[in-house]
Amino acid sequence: MSTPTQRIVSGMRPTGPLHLGHYFGVLVNWVALQEEYDCLYFVADWHALTSEYASPGRIKQFVPELVMDWVAAGLEPEKCTMFLQSQIKEHAELQLLFSMFTPLGWLERNPTYKEVKGELEGAKDLSTYGFLGYPVLMAADILMYRPHLVPVGQDQLPHLELTREIARRFNFLYTPLFPEPQAKLTEAQKLPGLDGRKMSKSYGNAIHLSESMEQVTPKIMSMLTDTNRMRKKDPGNPDQCNLFPYHVLMTDAGKRTEIVSGCTQATLGCVDCKKMLLESLGAFLEPMRARRVELENNPRRVWDMLEAGNRKAHEQALETLTLVRERVNLEYKELSALRS
């Protein structure tokens, strides 16, 4: 059992509506962590600009949508701090100070830099200082709150190690201040998209947390299943069916046993299997939808949550940055009278 003082920091970019892949990959862990740790979750709108700098209008639009999805998924402002990255200006100052001693080679070897740049080549120009240097901003986001743990998947460990390297370099050059946050490895339940590819809003193959069952139903009914099962009388293989992972995550064990038996023995057709999934999905999404509708009917509450979170985050950020300025000899107390 962890102590109440242990802190966790994580963020998410407001670039579009969240889907079931986000829920099972990230949010289900965030919700569990808020019960045990001092959690700070931030809307990473500055990070969104690293790739969306040419079309920033949509970012602000998705900020309240993102927070509504978080609360609908189970985050509670009484149990965690939710805040808006760009409103805590100390993040930018800490990024600037970190950038002074972060070697260029550290950024160029970042595996995500080449991967994402290659994926979007031709669609977006990511040969920018902001995109190359985003890990420094990420380190500032994390280290600002001096957390013990950062929830990450196995594929994100190189990013966290860069944050740890920046913390080590700062502590070596000046005096120790930052802990080297450890990875809180979280098992992400992977859910394929409706067409069998990775679930992504850009592929148009996702079920969004904000959608009604009227919107979800035609998606499920047209969903790709076992391609080897051409007719109902053909035995199927749930392990090769794009639909079955949804049942694994949202259908109770008893019904899953029935589905496996009916599929492999060709007594249950894919249409009936999809109808059973719709029942499970409806029961799963309905509580989320109810929490979201409450916020949609009172949008001011979303901004109130962020304002309260911003105040908490700002207090902690200012405390850290004051210590940083002292260590890098930039705390000019002689000028303090001019600040009042």
Side-chain angles (χ1 to χ4, degrees), residues 146-166:
R146 289 176 281 171
H148 303 77
L149 300 166
V150 179
V152 293
Q154 193 77 30
D155 60 330
Q156 297 169 311
L157 287 176
H159 306 154
L160 181 58
E161 183 55 32
L162 183 53
T163 294
R164 289 160 51 81
E165 286 180 337
I166 289 174

Side-chain angles (χ1 to χ4, degrees), residues 22 38 69 72 82-83 85 105 110 135 142 144 165 195 202 207 238-239 245 256 266 280 302-303 308 314-315 319 325:
H22 293 119
D38 174 17
D69 280 340
M82 293 178 277
F83 68 96
Q85 178 193 35
N110 173 22
I142 294 170
M144 180 69 78
E165 286 180 337
D195 57 2
S202 60
I207 294 175
D239 292 334
R256 288 204 307 272
S280 301
V302 174
W303 295 108
H314 182 255
E315 289 177 5
E319 178 184 332
R325 289 169 181 159

Side-chain angles (χ1 to χ4, degrees), residues 217-263:
T217 297
K219 290 185 174 184
I220 295 297
M221 296 308 293
S222 61
M223 192 173 171
L224 178 72
T225 53
D226 184 352
T227 55
N228 293 321
R229 193 179 186 195
M230 305 303 294
R231 296 160 296 187
K232 181 177 178 179
K233 65 179 182 180
D234 296 330
N237 183 351
D239 292 334
Q240 295 179 5
C241 179
N242 193 52
L243 191 73
F244 193 66
Y246 289 73
H247 280 300
V248 171
L249 294 172
M250 289 175 281
T251 301
D252 67 73
K255 281 190 177 180
R256 288 204 307 272
T257 301
E258 178 185 337
I259 290 167
V260 170
S261 175
C263 179

Side-chain angles (χ1 to χ4, degrees), residues 37 40 51 76 87 95 126 132 203 209 228 248 302 304 318 323-324 334:
Y37 299 91
L40 294 98
S51 60
E76 301 179 40
Q87 300 308 296
Q95 180 205 19
L126 295 183
L132 176 64
Y203 292 156
L209 302 182
N228 293 321
V248 171
V302 174
D304 289 342
L318 190 58
L323 295 172
V324 170
E334 298 84 353

Side-chain angles (χ1 to χ4, degrees), residues 8-12 26 30 40-43 70 83 142 149-151:
I8 276 178
V9 178
S10 194
M12 196 176 288
V26 178
W30 280 16
L40 294 98
Y41 299 130
F42 63 93
V43 180
W70 286 359
F83 68 96
I142 294 170
L149 300 166
V150 179

Side-chain angles (χ1 to χ4, degrees), residues 104-147:
L104 190 59
W106 288 6
L107 303 178
E108 291 175 329
R109 75 171 188 240
N110 173 22
T112 304
Y113 173 68
K114 292 182 179 179
E115 179 184 335
V116 175
K117 193 175 177 213
E119 285 178 359
L120 298 179
E121 192 170 4
K124 295 179 182 178
D125 178 10
L126 295 183
S127 301
T128 61
Y129 167 77
F131 186 71
L132 176 64
Y134 87 83
V136 184
L137 177 57
M138 182 180 70
D141 296 330
I142 294 170
L143 295 175
M144 180 69 78
Y145 303 97
R146 289 176 281 171

